[in-house]
């Protein structure tokens, strides 16, 4: 297949639309089911690069959950804890493969934003992963292959229209890449920069200790940022992104947005949230929405009479602001990466409030001394990578 005709481009009025190889060669993908659209393919090709690099850097099966050409979450395939299984709605007793764990964790970073996502898998999609995907609202998946059982499961999703794309794992893009904007062609070298532990050698703080898990987490953060619309900041814990702040015009807004998402992820583990009793038959998206509102300042929207009965078997007690603040304060061991330098120490101040203990950022600000001083104040270990990771 040298080209694939699309229904339309970014919007229904943008026709005709297609994807193809400029040199006339075969596309590196096969559509096994469904009919992916323009944005689907943007998500698919960006997310595939992320999980491929993450697998190469860590040696672990990797997955991502993409929305609007940025990851809502990304993770490596570490086993799920009992708490993970509860908050990510894993069926009791379900047997999970490492690649299934990777996707469940990637989607679990921000389940609200992952609604209608594009899934990316570094490894062959197996039945365990397909069974979990089948129960989630998702637009499609890209992987280097599918087991027969997994493909049959996925073909039953969305009334048979679920998008399933297979990519050639050995495909290497051209050294130069081009894009047109307003009739003007832009050309640049493909970003082949390799992210690994060597980027963490220039430790600029008094605390110079990065445990092995923190190194993995920072690699997850930096590779995630490489494929996130800039400006961007990413918080990571135990091999999974727990907060991604993408496309903000100011660095501190990236840090705040990602930090709030990290706090939201952690709030799902609060005893009151873990103890919520949902009515039988409630859909996963409705549970996600209810949890999000319950843990927010708008909690009364799901606790008022006439509304809570539709969602819960028993009316929950409200989470007070003091309880939420105290719970978030127990978070620790979080890593954070930034795709460009922190211009002020306020970014470190905000990150610290979400339990950040390790930072990787390029450095190079005229106020680096203030950023380092702020990190030292809290005993945070910080490395300057020397490499900007903008993505547009």
């Amino acid at each position: 297949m040298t080209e694939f005709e699309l229904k339309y481009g970014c919007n229904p009025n943008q026709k005709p639309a297609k994807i193809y190889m400029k040199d006339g060669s075969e596309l590196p993908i096969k559509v096994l089911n469904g009919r992916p659209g323009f944005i689907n393919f943007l998500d698919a090709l960006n997310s595939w690069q992320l999980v491929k690099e993450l697998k190469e850097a860590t040696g672990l099966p990797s997955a991502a959950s993409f929305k609007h050409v940025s990851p809502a979450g990304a993770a490596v395939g570490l086993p799920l804890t009992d708490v993970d299984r509860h908050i990510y709605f894993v069926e009791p007793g379900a047997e999970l493969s490492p690649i299934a764990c990777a996707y469940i964790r990637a989607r679990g970073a921000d389940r609200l934003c992952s609604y209608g996502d594009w899934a990316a898998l570094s490894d062959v999609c197996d039945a365990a992963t397909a069974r979990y995907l089948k129960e989630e609202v998702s637009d499609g998946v890209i992987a280097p292959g599918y087991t027969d059982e997994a493909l049959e499961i996925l073909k039953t999703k969305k009334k048979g229209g679920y998008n399933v794309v297979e990519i050639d794992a050995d495909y290497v893009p051209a050294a130069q890449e081009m894009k047109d904007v307003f009739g003007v062609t832009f050309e640049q070298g493909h970003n082949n920069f390799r992210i690994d532990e060597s980027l963490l050698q220039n430790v600029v703080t008094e605390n110079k200790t990065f445990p092995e898990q923190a190194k993995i987490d920072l690699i997850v953060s930096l590779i995630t940022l490489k494929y996130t619309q800039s400006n961007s900041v990413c918080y990571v814990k135990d091999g999974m992104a727990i907060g991604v702040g993408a496309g903000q015009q100011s660095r501190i807004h990236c840090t705040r947005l990602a930090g709030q998402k990290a706090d939201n992820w952690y709030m799902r583990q609060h005893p009151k949230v873990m103890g919520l009793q949902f009515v039988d038959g409630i859909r996963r998206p409705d549970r996600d929405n209810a949890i999000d509102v319950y843990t927010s300042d708008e909690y009364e929207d799901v606790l008022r009479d006439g509304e809570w009965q539709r969602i819960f078997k028993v009316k929950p007690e409200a989470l007070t602001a003091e309880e939420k603040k105290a719970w978030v304060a127990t978070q620790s061991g979080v890593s954070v990466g930034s795709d460009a330098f922190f211009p002020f120490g306020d970014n470190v101040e905000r990150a610290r409030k979400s339990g950040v203990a390790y930072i990787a950022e390029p450095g190079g600000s005229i106020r680096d001394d203030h950023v380092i001083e702020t990190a030292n104040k809290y005993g945070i270990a910080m490395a300057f990578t020397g490499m900007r990771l903008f993505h547009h």
Side-chain angles (χ1 to χ4, degrees):
M1 181 172 65
T2 58
E3 67 176 54
F4 185 86
E5 185 178 353
L6 306 173
K7 190 174 181 181
Y8 50 77
C10 276
N11 298 291
N13 65 297
Q14 293 177 271
K15 301 175 182 178
K18 63 181 178 179
I19 61 169
Y20 61 98
M21 305 297 285
K22 282 193 172 182
D23 62 3
S25 62
E26 292 286 309
L27 285 164
I29 53 96
K30 295 178 183 177
V31 178
L32 304 183
N33 199 66
R35 187 184 178 187
F38 191 96
I39 296 173
N40 290 149
F41 276 117
L42 289 177
D43 281 339
L45 296 175
N46 275 282
S47 61
W48 165 249
Q49 293 177 82
L50 191 163
V51 299
K52 185 175 187 288
E53 288 192 31
L54 198 49
K55 171 73 178 287
E56 290 172 350
T58 65
L60 297 168
S62 304
S65 173
F66 259 60
K67 282 287 293 291
H68 295 291
V69 206
S70 280
V76 295
L78 300 178
L80 301 186
T81 65
D82 289 341
V83 171
D84 291 336
R85 284 175 173 260
H86 182 88
I87 64 177
Y88 305 146
F89 309 144
V90 177
E91 294 298 325
E95 293 187 11
L96 301 175
S97 61
I99 191 63
C101 289
Y103 176 68
I104 293 167
R105 299 174 87 236
R107 189 177 179 104
D110 188 344
R111 289 187 54 84
L112 222 60
C113 285
S114 284
Y115 181 88
D117 72 340
W118 187 277
L121 311 173
S122 67
D123 292 16
V124 170
C125 180
D126 59 10
T129 311
R131 279 192 289 268
Y132 189 81
L133 260 171
K134 183 183 176 183
E135 301 303 319
E136 299 289 0
V137 178
S138 172
D139 273 1
V141 58
I142 187 169
Y146 300 82
T147 66
D148 291 342
E149 185 180 3
L151 189 55
E152 287 307 308
I153 293 169
L154 294 174
K155 283 183 175 181
T156 67
K157 187 172 173 62
K158 295 186 75 170
K159 298 180 180 179
Y162 187 63
N163 295 312
V164 180
V165 176
E166 180 176 294
I167 187 161
D168 178 1
D170 297 323
Y171 168 70
V172 176
Q176 292 294 111
E177 58 187 20
M178 292 173 279
K179 67 184 292 186
D180 290 348
V181 178
F182 198 52
V184 177
T185 299
F186 290 66
E187 182 174 349
Q188 65 177 356
H190 184 75
N191 190 356
N192 289 317
F193 183 73
R194 184 176 178 83
I195 295 172
D196 55 31
E197 283 190 22
S198 65
L199 287 184
L200 307 177
Q201 293 178 353
N202 182 23
V203 184
V204 295
T205 46
E206 294 169 358
N207 182 355
K208 301 185 181 298
T209 303
F210 287 100
E212 286 305 310
Q213 185 59 59
K215 292 178 182 178
I216 293 174
D217 290 350
L218 289 169
I219 288 171
V220 171
S221 178
L222 294 173
I223 292 176
T224 299
L225 291 168
K226 188 179 176 185
Y227 297 101
T228 303
Q229 297 298 297
S230 300
N231 288 324
S232 56
V233 167
C234 179
Y235 291 62
V236 175
K237 177 85 178 280
D238 295 334
M240 69 174 283
I242 59 173
V244 180
Q248 303 303 299
Q249 286 75 25
S250 106
R251 183 68 37 188
I252 187 60
H253 284 99
C254 294
T255 306
R256 289 172 182 164
L257 176 60
Q260 184 59 57
K261 291 186 176 188
D263 293 348
N264 291 346
W265 170 81
Y266 191 54
M267 282 306 304
R268 291 180 71 101
Q269 302 171 50
H270 189 282
K272 281 190 174 180
V273 180
M274 294 281 288
L276 292 173
Q277 299 180 50
F278 292 98
V279 296
D280 296 335
I282 189 171
R283 297 171 63 247
R284 290 186 182 189
D286 293 328
R287 279 185 283 181
D288 285 324
N289 289 337
I291 290 170
D292 184 71
V293 176
Y294 174 70
T295 57
S296 75
D297 292 339
E298 283 78 43
Y299 61 90
E300 291 179 346
D301 290 350
V302 292
L303 297 186
R304 65 174 180 265
D305 285 342
E307 181 65 15
W308 72 261
Q309 294 93 335
R310 187 181 63 83
I311 303 168
F312 305 109
K313 292 180 178 178
V314 178
K315 185 178 181 179
E317 289 185 0
L319 265 170
T320 67
E322 291 75 19
E323 285 177 310
K324 289 188 282 189
K325 184 176 181 180
W327 180 253
V328 170
T330 65
Q331 175 74 296
S332 63
V334 177
S335 296
V336 73
S338 176
D339 66 354
F341 62 68
F342 283 155
F344 300 99
D346 57 355
N347 291 275
V348 179
E349 292 278 3
R350 175 58 190 91
R352 189 266 312 178
K353 293 176 182 176
S354 294
V356 169
Y358 313 101
I359 296 174
E361 55 118 322
S365 167
I366 60 172
R367 301 177 185 82
D368 275 348
D369 55 348
H370 181 238
V371 177
I372 294 169
E373 179 185 346
T374 307
N376 285 335
K377 181 167 65 172
Y378 298 110
I380 293 172
M382 181 167 63
F384 281 176
T385 66
M387 178 53 65
R388 195 177 76 180
L389 296 169
F390 277 177
H391 180 65
H392 291 288

